[in-house]
mmCIF file of all heavy atoms in Angstrom:
data_model
loop_
_atom_site.group_PDB
_atom_site.id
_atom_site.type_symbol
_atom_site.label_atom_id
_atom_site.label_comp_id
_atom_site.label_asym_id
_atom_site.label_seq_id
_atom_site.Cartn_x
_atom_site.Cartn_y
_atom_site.Cartn_z
ATOM 1 N N SER A 492 29.411 -0.846 -22.800
ATOM 2 C CA SER A 492 28.284 -0.246 -22.081
ATOM 3 C C SER A 492 27.676 -1.201 -21.063
ATOM 4 O O SER A 492 27.189 -0.771 -20.014
ATOM 5 C CB SER A 492 27.213 0.196 -23.080
ATOM 6 O OG SER A 492 26.761 -0.908 -23.857
ATOM 7 N N LEU A 493 27.700 -2.520 -21.352
ATOM 8 C CA LEU A 493 27.122 -3.487 -20.419
ATOM 9 C C LEU A 493 27.900 -3.509 -19.108
ATOM 10 O O LEU A 493 27.311 -3.596 -18.028
ATOM 11 C CB LEU A 493 27.104 -4.883 -21.044
ATOM 12 C CG LEU A 493 26.519 -5.999 -20.164
ATOM 13 C CD1 LEU A 493 25.091 -5.670 -19.747
ATOM 14 C CD2 LEU A 493 26.573 -7.341 -20.894
ATOM 15 N N SER A 494 29.221 -3.413 -19.186
ATOM 16 C CA SER A 494 30.027 -3.403 -17.962
ATOM 17 C C SER A 494 29.747 -2.158 -17.134
ATOM 18 O O SER A 494 29.675 -2.221 -15.902
ATOM 19 C CB SER A 494 31.515 -3.482 -18.312
ATOM 20 O OG SER A 494 31.835 -4.726 -18.899
ATOM 21 N N VAL A 495 29.601 -1.027 -17.803
ATOM 22 C CA VAL A 495 29.296 0.215 -17.090
ATOM 23 C C VAL A 495 27.943 0.102 -16.401
ATOM 24 O O VAL A 495 27.782 0.472 -15.229
ATOM 25 C CB VAL A 495 29.314 1.411 -18.058
ATOM 26 C CG1 VAL A 495 28.862 2.682 -17.343
ATOM 27 C CG2 VAL A 495 30.710 1.601 -18.637
ATOM 28 N N ARG A 496 26.952 -0.430 -17.125
ATOM 29 C CA ARG A 496 25.623 -0.612 -16.536
ATOM 30 C C ARG A 496 25.681 -1.612 -15.388
ATOM 31 O O ARG A 496 25.053 -1.413 -14.342
ATOM 32 C CB ARG A 496 24.651 -1.097 -17.607
ATOM 33 C CG ARG A 496 23.263 -1.426 -17.067
ATOM 34 C CD ARG A 496 22.280 -1.708 -18.178
ATOM 35 N NE ARG A 496 21.037 -2.243 -17.655
ATOM 36 C CZ ARG A 496 20.607 -3.475 -17.861
ATOM 37 N NH1 ARG A 496 21.327 -4.313 -18.591
ATOM 38 N NH2 ARG A 496 19.466 -3.886 -17.360
ATOM 39 N N ALA A 497 26.442 -2.695 -15.572
ATOM 40 C CA ALA A 497 26.563 -3.708 -14.523
ATOM 41 C C ALA A 497 27.180 -3.117 -13.266
ATOM 42 O O ALA A 497 26.768 -3.438 -12.143
ATOM 43 C CB ALA A 497 27.408 -4.878 -15.026
ATOM 44 N N TRP A 498 28.170 -2.257 -13.443
ATOM 45 C CA TRP A 498 28.817 -1.612 -12.302
ATOM 46 C C TRP A 498 27.812 -0.789 -11.501
ATOM 47 O O TRP A 498 27.736 -0.876 -10.277
ATOM 48 C CB TRP A 498 29.949 -0.730 -12.816
ATOM 49 C CG TRP A 498 30.573 0.145 -11.784
ATOM 50 C CD1 TRP A 498 30.353 1.467 -11.588
ATOM 51 C CD2 TRP A 498 31.508 -0.250 -10.779
ATOM 52 N NE1 TRP A 498 31.099 1.930 -10.534
ATOM 53 C CE2 TRP A 498 31.817 0.899 -10.018
ATOM 54 C CE3 TRP A 498 32.116 -1.452 -10.450
ATOM 55 C CZ2 TRP A 498 32.702 0.868 -8.954
ATOM 56 C CZ3 TRP A 498 33.002 -1.479 -9.387
ATOM 57 C CH2 TRP A 498 33.285 -0.337 -8.656
ATOM 58 N N GLU A 499 27.003 -0.001 -12.191
ATOM 59 C CA GLU A 499 26.010 0.835 -11.518
ATOM 60 C C GLU A 499 24.937 -0.014 -10.846
ATOM 61 O O GLU A 499 24.540 0.240 -9.703
ATOM 62 C CB GLU A 499 25.377 1.787 -12.535
ATOM 63 C CG GLU A 499 26.364 2.771 -13.149
ATOM 64 C CD GLU A 499 25.751 3.574 -14.281
ATOM 65 O OE1 GLU A 499 24.615 3.232 -14.696
ATOM 66 O OE2 GLU A 499 26.394 4.531 -14.753
ATOM 67 N N VAL A 500 24.468 -1.037 -11.560
ATOM 68 C CA VAL A 500 23.403 -1.895 -11.029
ATOM 69 C C VAL A 500 23.885 -2.672 -9.809
ATOM 70 O O VAL A 500 23.170 -2.800 -8.805
ATOM 71 C CB VAL A 500 22.909 -2.858 -12.130
ATOM 72 C CG1 VAL A 500 22.029 -3.952 -11.538
ATOM 73 C CG2 VAL A 500 22.140 -2.096 -13.196
ATOM 74 N N ALA A 501 25.111 -3.201 -9.867
ATOM 75 C CA ALA A 501 25.640 -3.999 -8.762
ATOM 76 C C ALA A 501 25.791 -3.165 -7.495
ATOM 77 O O ALA A 501 25.423 -3.606 -6.397
ATOM 78 C CB ALA A 501 26.981 -4.616 -9.156
ATOM 79 N N HIS A 502 26.325 -1.966 -7.632
ATOM 80 C CA HIS A 502 26.494 -1.113 -6.455
ATOM 81 C C HIS A 502 25.145 -0.677 -5.883
ATOM 82 O O HIS A 502 24.974 -0.602 -4.665
ATOM 83 C CB HIS A 502 27.342 0.109 -6.814
ATOM 84 C CG HIS A 502 28.809 -0.144 -6.724
ATOM 85 N ND1 HIS A 502 29.535 0.060 -5.578
ATOM 86 C CD2 HIS A 502 29.682 -0.638 -7.634
ATOM 87 C CE1 HIS A 502 30.799 -0.266 -5.785
ATOM 88 N NE2 HIS A 502 30.917 -0.693 -7.027
#
Side-chain angles (χ1 to χ4, degrees):
S492 58
L493 180 57
S494 294
V495 174
R496 175 172 170 247
W498 172 259
E499 297 172 351
V500 168
H502 275 270

